[in-house]
Amino acid sequence: MRKGEQTRAAILNAALELAGRDGLEGLTIGLLADRMQMSKSGVFAHFGSREDLQVEVIREYHRRFEEEVFFPSVILPRGLPRLRALVSRWMDKRIREVTTGCIYISGAVEYDDRAESAVRDQLVASVQAWRRALLRAITQAKEVGHLRRDADPHLMLFEMYSLTLGLHHDARFLREPGAVEIARIALEKLILSYQSG
């Protein structure tokens, strides 16, 4: 990797950390320049604008999300083994992000009622890509007979997503000490409720 690429990667890594802590809107070129001990123009040279930087942060977060959660799970057989792996890895990531912050969740709060923008579009696209992958795993688990024939994949997706959002709320905002264990139990109970006889 060339020096320019290394610098860009280091800036992006620092930007991810700052965005996790302060949100995408809290990410400024000045703050990042201070963090990297660079000039603002030096940071601009790698990203062009604050919006370009925010979009790249979302893309990098999504790339890492796929590496940590999606790719190691989809090598498992279709059905409950794959679905459980996706949910387990997603939960593990959510638990780590209780302290570092989740760009998907904080971004949804920041951009839920904002006008269309490149940042909002990238955030929505990334979250929808993950939801489609999870829905596909649920549907495949139903197709191979691991879930009941009357199982509604969209409802199951909604319930799973709601439980992980609840974990983030209770663990990060309320700092409930038992939130992680409760969320794990709730997710397992949910999967069992859809499982075929």
Side-chain angles (χ1 to χ4, degrees):
M1 188 183 287
R2 290 181 300 206
K3 188 173 188 322
E5 292 171 338
Q6 289 176 336
T7 302
R8 189 178 195 280
I11 293 169
L12 198 51
N13 199 50
L16 268 166
E17 187 181 320
L18 290 171
R21 187 190 74 195
D22 300 331
L24 288 163
E25 282 301 299
L27 183 60
T28 66
I29 298 293
L31 188 63
L32 194 52
D34 287 346
R35 180 70 168 272
M36 295 299 299
Q37 298 180 337
M38 294 174 66
S39 66
K40 287 182 184 180
S41 60
V43 174
F44 266 117
H46 289 279
F47 293 97
S49 72
R50 179 174 178 248
E51 184 176 74
D52 291 342
L53 172 64
Q54 290 168 318
V55 168
E56 284 305 310
V57 164
I58 296 166
R59 286 183 179 147
E60 180 63 15
Y61 179 84
H62 186 73
R63 187 191 67 73
R64 292 180 187 192
F65 187 93
E66 287 183 325
E67 279 185 2
E68 294 172 36
V69 178
F70 180 74
F71 293 130
S73 302
V74 294
I75 60 173
L76 295 171
R78 289 180 177 192
L80 280 179
R82 184 178 296 178
L83 180 58
R84 283 184 188 280
L86 284 167
V87 171
S88 177
R89 285 187 173 92
W90 183 27
M91 182 71 138
D92 289 344
K93 184 164 181 59
R94 184 66 62 242
I95 291 164
R96 287 192 307 277
E97 290 176 339
V98 163
T99 55
T100 63
C102 173
I103 289 174
Y104 285 167
I105 294 174
S106 63
V109 172
E110 290 178 287
Y111 290 89
D112 62 353
D113 60 355
R114 288 186 185 224
E116 296 300 314
S117 70
V119 177
R120 188 183 196 286
D121 291 347
Q122 185 61 55
L123 188 60
V124 168
S126 295
V127 170
Q128 285 179 335
W130 166 237
R131 287 174 61 95
R132 280 193 304 272
L134 197 53
L135 181 64
R136 187 167 48 252
I138 293 168
T139 302
Q140 289 170 347
K142 181 178 175 179
E143 289 169 353
V144 299
H146 294 171
L147 300 179
R148 296 189 330 259
R149 283 184 301 188
D150 66 344
D152 180 341
H154 291 277
L155 177 60
M156 188 174 183
L157 171 65
F158 178 83
E159 291 173 316
M160 284 182 164
Y161 225 89
S162 297
L163 286 171
T164 59
L165 290 175
L167 165 63
H168 191 84
H169 178 272
D170 285 8
R172 189 168 167 86
F173 179 59
L174 297 179
R175 297 188 179 121
E176 290 284 344
V180 169
E181 187 56 31
I182 288 171
R184 284 193 188 280
I185 291 168
L187 276 166
E188 180 59 22
K189 185 177 177 183
L190 175 65
I191 291 171
L192 289 173
S193 74
Y194 281 95
Q195 205 167 328
S196 58

